[in-house]
Amino acid sequence: MKMTDTRPLFRPLCADIVSLFRSLSADQWERPTVAGRWRVRDLAAHMLDTALRRLSYQRDQQRPASPSRPIGSDRDLVAWVNELNRTWVAAAERLSPRVLTDLYANISAQLCAFVEGLPDDAPALFPVSWAGEEDSAGWFDIGREFTEIWHHGAQAREAVGAGLYPEPAWLRAVIEISLHALPHAYRDVAAQNGTSVLIEIAGPAGGTWTLRRVGARWAVGEAPASRVDATV
């Protein structure tokens, strides 16, 4: 698949999320979300944390803290990331919704400016492990960051009954980035060369893609295959 350039989408998405946060009542900040035990205020704290980490590690070249235990597997990595997330959210309990919102407004604006200034061939900060990559293109790493912001903002909107985002192009970008997980997810599925799965997503952000067996691997692309073996 071609590169999905999410750089110009960060600023309007983050502005929408900040606007939502500023509109919330005290009760709405405490509402539960689909993100496990996190409330809306916990989502806001987490989004602030990830923006701060991205700026510190990539823009400012701060070396990430060493994990408390060696990372020898994906499970170890997930456990370490979860611990980072948990400790920050716990510390943010002492911050008011207004402080959280003001901090996120400031830091997300810095994140947007940084991302907008990156060249399209900038190196990735971290490989995209859910796509099975040990080295990733910079646009893919940044795209993953965009999908994270989109998802947590959507979780907050759902929790407070704010409805869908106003811009379908944001979801379209999330879909395009996420489809890159399919070749890795299908890696153990044996099939003849040329076997194709048509993926159809309805709605204003949707489209049509094909997951196709190419030699010993799978590849995903926008062009429909001439022969389709299954449709999702």
Side-chain angles (χ1 to χ4, degrees), residues 89-102:
V89 168
E93 283 282 352
R94 66 197 69 172
L95 303 179
S96 70
R98 179 177 176 179
V99 167
L100 280 173
T101 301
D102 287 346

Side-chain angles (χ1 to χ4, degrees), residues 56-57 60-66:
S56 296
Y57 297 161
D60 303 337
Q61 302 295 299
Q62 171 72 25
R63 186 169 182 157
S66 299

